[in-house]
Amino acid sequence: ISASRRLAAQYILRGLIDTRISRNAVVNVNQVAVRMHFTLTAANGRTISQATAANESFAGRDVLGMALTLIEERADEVVAQLYGDYCRGAGAR
């Protein structure tokens, strides 16, 4: 946030990507769940948009690879939500 002030940024994007990895005892395979939450704010602190997405799957041996795949599968909808809200709010500044 301090860097955004020094650079006179007009918008700040904050995000959290949480990954949960576990072992499914019933089918004896790894599984992964991913949850993403992003908030787009104006430099004055006004919230412009919030977007959340979640995804989960069996992972096999490549748990981190599957986590990345799950993020990529949902990233477009998160970006679309943030951008759409930004565009709708552009006239409300």
Side-chain angles (χ1 to χ4, degrees):
I1 293 177
S2 65
S4 68
R5 288 186 185 122
R6 282 193 314 270
L7 298 171
Q10 294 179 350
Y11 303 98
I12 299 168
L13 179 64
R14 292 184 181 139
L16 174 68
I17 299 175
D18 179 46
T19 305
R20 221 179 43 241
I21 299 167
S22 60
R23 185 91 178 149
N24 185 313
V26 175
V27 291
N28 196 31
V29 69
N30 293 324
Q31 56 191 27
V32 63
V34 174
R35 180 175 159 78
M36 299 177 282
H37 180 77
F38 293 92
T39 303
L40 179 64
T41 59
N44 65 6
R46 179 179 59 92
T47 298
I48 296 169
S49 180
Q50 292 186 343
T52 301
N55 206 355
E56 59 186 81
S57 178
F58 292 114
R61 301 184 95 193
D62 186 11
V63 177
L64 295 178
M66 179 53 73
L68 181 58
T69 298
L70 295 175
I71 290 168
E72 290 172 345
E73 286 178 357
R74 294 290 194 251
D76 288 346
E77 71 189 57
V78 170
V79 171
Q81 176 71 45
L82 295 169
Y83 185 67
D85 290 346
Y86 165 79
C87 290
R88 280 188 289 282
R93 288 188 227 167

